[in-house]
Amino acid sequence: MGEILKYKFDLNDKPGWLKIRKELAGQGRLGGSDIGAAVGDNPYKSPYALWCEMVGLYEPEDISDKEAIKQGMMFEAAVAERFAKESGIGVEEVPYIYTNSDAPHLFATPDRLCIDGESGLECKTAKEIVMKKFPRGDFPQQYFDQCCCYLKVTERKRWYIAILIYGVAFNIYMMTTIKEEADRFNYLKAKVDGGEILTPEESAEWQKQNWLVAAYYVDKEALDAVELAAANFIQRVNEGKNGNMDVWPIEEIDGSESTADALFH
């Protein structure tokens, strides 16, 4: 286990929260919302755009006043409350940003921590049209990256993702570092989906977790891979700060909107 440090902020002081985030980024760390961009999984920000931002070549647009962002922040508390009601797992908002000596290139800003002391919660809102891209009931890859970051930094056993799909559904997923936990849920779900009859013991067990849409096992290699990806990205950032602009070969610069913004700002 690594040494976990907590950086306290006032929950009502967003500038203070942003200041800590900026300081940690300046120390060569990526937050959970950055890691998806760093590895190319975020459709709204390319790796190159994030690199330009961290090197200091580009100041991204302030999107805090955009309606989608405002609604997402407004509904966060409602998503957390709904998760607690559906799952029976209590949650709390915590005034801390976390780092871990075993993950020196990451930091975590959890939406909520579960009062069981073993879990965390990421709250999301999404449009139906976005979630239709994931017909099997899964979710965007950048959400997975983000939760892996939080699992690695906080060393909790599992992380839940609760997604409010406006006017359509409320989906809860579990990412767990306990293989048997994911395997057991998936075994029971397969029986239910296949119309098989559960034993009385299985039925009682299923009733306690049928609020989950899916469970995913996250092994140590996946968590270590997030730290390694962050380390590699930060190395490129440091080279850029030292004047090496060739760290991004032209063939690696994509044609996304965020890349264009960074190039032609």
Side-chain angles (χ1 to χ4, degrees), residues 69-81:
I69 301 300
K70 287 182 177 179
Q71 289 191 24
M73 294 178 64
M74 180 177 68
F75 282 110
E76 180 181 306
V79 171
E81 182 179 351

Side-chain angles (χ1 to χ4, degrees), residues 100-119:
N100 188 320
S101 59
D102 282 349
H105 300 93
L106 298 170
F107 65 88
T109 56
D111 285 341
R112 299 290 189 278
L113 291 180
C114 300
I115 61 176
D116 62 9
E118 297 184 338
S119 314

Side-chain angles (χ1 to χ4, degrees), residues 7 16-35 45 50-51 53-56 97-99 103-109 230-231 233-238 241:
Y7 298 79
W17 175 76
L18 289 171
K19 181 175 181 291
I20 297 173
R21 284 180 57 94
K22 188 172 182 179
E23 289 172 353
L24 292 172
Q27 295 172 15
R29 295 178 183 270
L30 297 179
S33 58
D34 297 323
I35 191 67
K45 181 180 288 187
L50 178 63
W51 180 81
E53 180 182 329
M54 295 190 71
V55 170
I97 295 177
Y98 297 83
T99 62
H105 300 93
L106 298 170
F107 65 88
T109 56
F233 188 85
I234 291 299
Q235 182 178 356
R236 280 185 160 189
V237 169
N238 291 336
K241 288 181 176 179

Side-chain angles (χ1 to χ4, degrees), residues 61-71:
E61 177 190 4
D62 181 3
I63 61 173
S64 59
D65 274 341
K66 288 188 176 294
E67 189 60 31
I69 301 300
K70 287 182 177 179
Q71 289 191 24

